[in-house]
Amino acid sequence: MNITVKVDEITLSTVVADTVAFDEDGDTYSTGQQTVAHLVAAQIVERLVKDDRYPGLRDQVMEIRREEIRAAVRPSIDEALARPIYKTNTYGERTGQQTTLAELIADEARKQLTEPADRYRSEKGSILQQAVRAEVQKAFQAEIADAVQKTRDLVIAEMGGDIAQQITKAVTAGLSKRS
């Protein structure tokens, strides 16, 4: 008994299996078809993941992916920012003149810069003032820390590396005179 299998042509789009899944009742349903291309891709992924160079390659692929998505989405974003819209109330009724989303965003940014951080107490300043104040404080603290470190290095250079011994001797001598 001879079994003969004849395959005319195999391409990447040749379907080799139907993929199925189970619903919440336990019944199966088709989720698609698996092609030779799917199997080849699975083999490539399996081999790449085992390679030491995979993390770098993955990062490169992800960066290319992000760039392609940005390029594809950018025209839609530009169109949405420039398209005329109307301000509406909570019921969706027009309340103002025609404007653009870009103008609304700019107006909201201006409000955020001048609006007090705490609506009940304005003595702490606006959001912008608080951010500037925090950055100045960080810069000032960094300058102070740098100056203290330079002074500490200078004292160690002047007194030598045995500063701890000199302090111990001075404290011991002072305590012995008290007795």
Side-chain angles (χ1 to χ4, degrees), residues 61-75:
V61 169
M62 293 304 285
E63 182 58 33
I64 292 169
R65 178 178 162 242
R66 280 190 289 271
E67 289 172 9
E68 290 298 319
I69 290 171
R70 274 190 212 107
V73 171
R74 191 72 197 157

Side-chain angles (χ1 to χ4, degrees), residues 149-163 166:
Q149 184 61 42
K150 285 179 182 176
T151 305
R152 187 177 294 150
D153 293 344
L154 182 65
V155 168
I156 290 173
E158 289 288 323
M159 299 187 81
D162 58 351
I163 191 168
Q166 291 177 8

Side-chain angles (χ1 to χ4, degrees), residues 47-166:
R47 289 182 184 167
L48 278 177
V49 171
K50 293 178 184 176
D51 194 335
D52 294 339
R53 297 170 291 184
Y54 174 70
L57 179 62
R58 181 190 63 217
D59 293 342
Q60 273 184 315
V61 169
M62 293 304 285
E63 182 58 33
I64 292 169
R65 178 178 162 242
R66 280 190 289 271
E67 289 172 9
E68 290 298 319
I69 290 171
R70 274 190 212 107
V73 171
R74 191 72 197 157
S76 298
I77 293 172
D78 291 340
E79 179 189 344
L81 288 172
R83 184 181 321 129
I85 59 173
Y86 293 92
K87 289 184 180 182
T88 60
N89 61 15
T90 54
Y91 300 108
E93 300 164 342
R94 290 183 183 176
T95 60
Q97 295 180 358
Q98 181 174 312
T99 186
T100 64
L101 186 57
E103 290 171 357
L104 288 177
I105 292 170
D107 289 343
E108 190 61 33
R110 274 189 225 90
K111 285 181 197 173
Q112 288 294 316
L113 293 178
T114 58
E115 185 174 286
D118 184 352
R119 292 179 189 231
Y120 300 105
R121 299 170 49 198
S122 62
E123 69 268 3
K124 292 183 179 179
S126 68
I127 295 170
L128 177 62
Q129 289 169 329
Q130 286 186 356
V132 168
R133 203 175 292 133
E135 288 302 314
V136 168
Q137 184 178 9
K138 280 196 295 190
F140 185 67
Q141 287 175 343
E143 287 294 322
I144 294 292
D146 188 43
V148 167
Q149 184 61 42
K150 285 179 182 176
T151 305
R152 187 177 294 150
D153 293 344
L154 182 65
V155 168
I156 290 173
E158 289 288 323
M159 299 187 81
D162 58 351
I163 191 168
Q165 292 174 348
Q166 291 177 8

